[in-house]
Amino acid sequence: MTLYSRVRPLAFKLPAETAHGIGKRTLRAAQSTWPTRAALSYAYRYEHPALEVDLFESTFPNPVGVAAGFDKNAEVTHALEALGFGFVEIGTVTPYPQAGNDRPRLFRLREDEGMVNRMGFNGQGMETVRSRLEADGTPGVPLGVNVGKMNSSTEREAIEDYRRVFDRLSPFADYVVVNVSCPNTPDEFDEASPDHLRSIFETLEAENDADVPILVKVGPDEPEESLFDLVDIVEEFGLDGIVATNTSTSREGLESPRRDEWGGLSGKPIENRSTAVIRTLAEYTDGDLPIIGVGGVDSAASAYEKIRAGASLLQLYTGFVYEGPSTARRINRGLVDLLERDGFSSVEEAVGADLE
Ligand SMILES: Cc1cc2nc3c(=O)[nH]c(=O)nc-3n(C[C@H](O)[C@H](O)[C@H](O)COP(=O)(O)O)c2cc1C
């Protein structure tokens, strides 16, 4: 029995956002001194040459990252590194601080091993995040920065929002993700429309003198045609990859009493849908476009399935909440076994192995 399996029933008695806050404060305290950080690293980091991924001109020590939303304000990037994650994506960061939606806005769907959230881009804003990155330094693993718009922005203002956050935070980033797929922010206009996407990417390209890799994050509910359209735009602008997927508005097959809360569904219930999107994207691009796979990853088997479907890197949020601090270590150890079992010498070799 792990320590987390004893702590979890207590944590799960608290409202989800309260438990998340306590978890984050604990991680922040743990990363603040060298001995506690080193102790975490010693207990949780797992290294193996087969896990290394070279992508976006960075070396990822392993393919298991923390998804956007967990550390919106870059408060615990060093602790997440110490817990054995191979990279951390902060954000979504908006230009100004934003309160998000009213609480409660985060719900566990225990029977379904999922969560529903309607946080609504709550965050401290780009200047606070920038100051924190300056003060704390970036972690020793690659850092992604997920950028978003203010909830009140019009279509035209939104483009300026992305530009400003990109301008302030891309110097700290190993890659930047444009998030146009959040299902719980106001939809005054179609954020994922081809015209809007073109305007965003045109603007960011003009700003990107340092050639920071730019990716776009897609939702799991998009029909195939929209995914193809998106890939065409990604290729038109020479973007570096796609993060697939964000949370879902579907509620199919759920059992939990909380299933009808509005917001974005994450975790086990979206696993297969997210993997299907990864496979569609990988097949359409002949495996040439890097994909970060996210949605329901909580074990080595679920991580491996996404790698074989075409994901070069993985991320998780909900699985981390359910499985606790040893999640990355457990997944990475298991991945090494699965790679060996199937005769692959590295994660990179297994990417897209299931594609026709
Ligand atoms: C509470 C919560 C907040 C999230 N906030 C963001 C966010 O700010 N930006 C974003 O791109 N994705 C956000 N996500 C989506 C995750 O990054 C991820 O795409 C999704 O949860 C699927 O992964 P999972 O099944 O491992 O949780 C959030 C997810 C959760 C559960």
Side-chain angles (χ1 to χ4, degrees):
M1 193 182 227
T2 62
L3 178 60
Y4 189 68
S5 63
R6 284 182 221 171
V7 170
R8 202 179 84 160
L10 300 176
F12 275 24
K13 283 202 164 64
L14 298 170
E17 193 167 349
T18 309
H20 184 71
I22 293 171
K24 282 252 297 285
R25 280 196 293 283
T26 309
L27 290 177
R28 179 95 184 138
Q31 79 169 21
S32 66
T33 74
W34 181 82
T36 44
R37 214 194 277 188
L40 274 190
S41 248
Y42 181 74
Y44 292 111
R45 279 204 78 75
Y46 176 70
E47 285 174 16
H48 193 287
L51 295 170
E52 271 186 27
V53 177
D54 285 315
L55 197 62
F56 311 139
E57 288 177 33
S58 295
T59 298
F60 294 71
N62 68 68
V64 183
V66 181
F70 187 88
D71 190 13
K72 286 182 189 270
N73 303 302
E75 292 165 285
V76 293
T77 59
H78 295 275
L80 294 169
E81 173 191 358
L83 288 179
F85 287 100
F87 63 111
V88 178
E89 188 173 311
I90 60 164
T92 295
V93 185
T94 51
Y96 299 103
Q98 202 168 236
N101 294 317
D102 292 341
R103 296 188 193 202
R105 52 192 181 178
L106 178 57
F107 307 90
R108 300 183 198 94
L109 273 54
R110 252 194 274 185
E111 295 76 358
D112 304 299
E113 293 177 65
M115 296 205 292
V116 165
N117 91 83
R118 50 172 180 264
M119 307 303 285
F121 280 5
N122 57 312
Q124 297 172 346
M126 66 184 185
E127 292 306 337
T128 301
V129 171
R130 186 180 158 107
S131 305
R132 190 167 289 125
L133 289 170
E134 277 168 349
D136 292 357
T138 51
V141 292
L143 182 77
V145 177
N146 182 303
V147 303
K149 65 170 185 67
M150 300 299 290
N151 290 336
S152 59
S153 289
T154 61
E155 188 161 355
R156 188 183 301 177
E157 287 164 347
I159 293 167
E160 180 60 8
D161 287 353
Y162 292 112
R163 192 196 63 75
R164 298 183 59 207
V165 185
F166 184 86
D167 180 51
R168 297 298 281 161
L169 297 185
S170 62
F172 302 88
D174 294 292
Y175 70 89
V176 168
V177 177
V178 177
N179 183 12
V180 287
S181 53
C182 179
N184 58 70
T185 48
D187 40 0
E188 303 300 330
F189 59 91
D190 181 5
E191 283 182 69
S193 81
D195 283 349
H196 185 58
L197 290 175
R198 282 200 175 87
S199 309
I200 297 173
F201 301 144
E202 217 166 67
T203 305
L204 296 188
E205 286 287 287
E207 200 77 13
N208 194 10
D209 293 337
D211 270 341
V212 179
I214 300 177
L215 291 79
V216 61
K217 187 164 179 177
V218 67
D221 306 323
E222 297 292 334
E224 223 171 56
E225 278 312 311
S226 315
L227 294 176
F228 298 157
D229 288 348
L230 177 71
V231 170
D232 292 345
I233 297 173
V234 162
E235 287 176 347
E236 180 184 332
F237 286 88
L239 298 192
D240 299 86
I242 297 186
V243 183
T245 68
N246 213 316
T247 53
S248 172
T249 54
S250 160
R251 293 293 184 271
E252 224 178 284
L254 298 179
E255 288 174 11
S256 164
R258 289 292 200 181
R259 63 181 177 264
D260 290 327
E261 294 290 348
W262 76 269
L265 175 68
S266 60
K268 266 308 168 214
I270 68 163
E271 180 185 2
N272 290 342
R273 183 64 208 136
S274 148
T275 307
V277 171
I278 293 165
R279 187 171 292 117
T280 301
L281 293 169
E283 272 167 3
Y284 188 65
T285 56
D286 289 329
D288 285 343
L289 186 70
I291 298 168
I292 301 183
V294 49
V297 174
D298 65 348
S299 62
S302 55
Y304 191 50
E305 193 184 6
K306 280 188 167 48
I307 291 170
R308 294 185 62 120
S312 297
L313 295 168
L314 310 158
Q315 293 177 325
L316 55 139
Y317 186 147
T318 309
F320 186 32
V321 170
Y322 278 88
E323 300 296 322
S326 57
T327 311
R329 180 182 175 87
R330 224 171 15 83
I331 294 178
N332 279 315
R333 289 182 100 127
L335 271 178
V336 169
D337 291 343
L338 290 168
L339 291 169
E340 273 173 17
R341 182 196 72 186
D342 293 348
F344 295 116
S345 62
S346 67
V347 166
E348 288 178 332
E349 219 180 280
V351 173
D354 284 344
L355 301 177
E356 331 247 283

